[in-house]
Amino acid sequence: MNDERTWIVSIKSVGQEEFYFAPHTAWQVQAQGFRVHFESDHGVKLRAQDQILITVGEVGTAGWAAFIGTVIEFGPDSLLLYTSPQYESRLMEAWQFEMIFSPLNSIEGAQNVIDTLGFFPPFHYDELTNVKLENADQGDWSENLSLTITHTSTDGLEQPLYFNFEDVQFKNISPAEESNVCLQLSFAYEGEQIGVQLDAIAGFAATFLCSKVVVQLG
């Protein structure tokens, strides 16, 4: 457990709060979040779009659980959290926050994606193309993986995003097919590296570690 990314917290109140991803743009989406007021034994340091693991209930009992939420806004004693509505009743029981990944800290180009789309999407049901796994320029065993994911909004807007994953290791990669549809793209810290999991509805899927992630808008 990384102490710099883990905080013991005491929840003071939880309330529903609506917000908009990408307000006042064609990508605008209304969503339901939760305003969580808390206290902590030491300073919680989070940024917008950080993915956090929230632990609730007493360890070792049937009431213990952990689930993931996305930080939308953050202040010294409160945050606006986006997570599944099924967890609303459990939020008052939360006692630990653990930051599992920060796109703004760890993905080059993430700010441009968030500025355009309002968030860093999980790419549910988005199409993948141009999948290439190539040796890195160093000429050693290192490989780079590149691919394009076309993110589609609920209103049918399309935005291609070009990904490059550098120094890919410990890979479990299935071959690309004629049709490749993403179920979810997720990230997590694995020591000094970034763990990447790309689950597929059809076609290309991958699980691997890499040293760097770069994304560009098409």
Side-chain angles (χ1 to χ4, degrees):
M1 183 169 64
N2 190 324
D3 291 338
E4 294 180 356
R5 298 179 185 150
T6 305
W7 304 273
I8 303 301
V9 296
S10 175
I11 305 301
K12 299 305 178 184
S13 66
V14 176
Q16 295 185 1
E17 184 173 324
E18 292 183 348
F19 68 95
Y20 289 89
F21 289 115
H24 314 301
T25 76
W27 290 91
Q28 177 174 290
V29 175
Q30 186 176 10
Q32 175 68 62
F34 301 100
R35 178 66 64 177
V36 180
H37 293 268
F38 63 89
E39 291 182 353
S40 177
D41 58 349
H42 62 287
V44 179
K45 299 177 181 178
L46 294 168
R47 299 180 70 180
Q49 299 301 311
D50 282 359
Q51 300 288 309
I52 63 172
L53 185 68
I54 302 151
T55 305
V56 303
E58 185 177 349
V59 176
T61 71
W64 180 92
F67 54 91
I68 294 174
T70 300
V71 175
I72 303 303
E73 297 175 1
F74 178 74
D77 58 3
S78 74
L79 59 85
L80 180 59
L81 180 73
Y82 181 60
T83 190
S84 173
Q86 73 185 76
Y87 299 125
E88 178 180 8
S89 62
R90 304 300 308 276
L91 284 170
M92 280 297 298
E93 304 172 60
W95 58 271
Q96 179 174 284
F97 294 160
E98 180 182 355
M99 193 263 283
I100 57 176
F101 192 71
S102 174
L104 286 172
N105 285 340
S106 301
I107 298 181
E108 185 177 318
Q111 185 68 67
N112 289 337
V113 174
I114 294 168
D115 288 345
T116 299
L117 304 179
F119 68 122
F120 201 92
F123 301 102
H124 295 313
Y125 309 111
D126 288 336
E127 183 181 11
L128 283 81
T129 54
N130 304 320
V131 179
K132 295 180 182 178
L133 184 63
E134 301 177 318
N135 290 334
D137 293 338
Q138 299 95 310
D140 54 20
W141 293 103
S142 177
E143 293 179 299
N144 293 341
L145 172 66
S146 63
L147 54 86
T148 301
I149 305 181
T150 301
H151 176 61
T152 304
S153 75
T154 54
D155 293 330
L157 293 174
E158 293 186 350
Q159 174 62 65
L161 293 99
Y162 306 134
F163 281 90
N164 191 58
F165 305 93
E166 299 184 7
D167 191 20
V168 172
Q169 303 173 26
F170 305 105
K171 58 185 182 294
N172 183 4
I173 297 177
S174 65
E177 300 179 3
E178 184 175 349
S179 176
N180 304 278
V181 181
C182 180
L183 175 61
Q184 178 166 298
L185 176 62
S186 57
F187 304 89
Y189 293 114
E190 300 283 349
E192 297 301 315
Q193 295 183 297
I194 297 173
V196 182
Q197 183 165 340
L198 196 160
D199 297 316
I201 294 174
F204 181 79
T207 302
F208 57 88
L209 299 178
C210 66
S211 62
K212 184 177 181 180
V213 181
V214 180
V215 62
Q216 293 180 308
L217 296 173

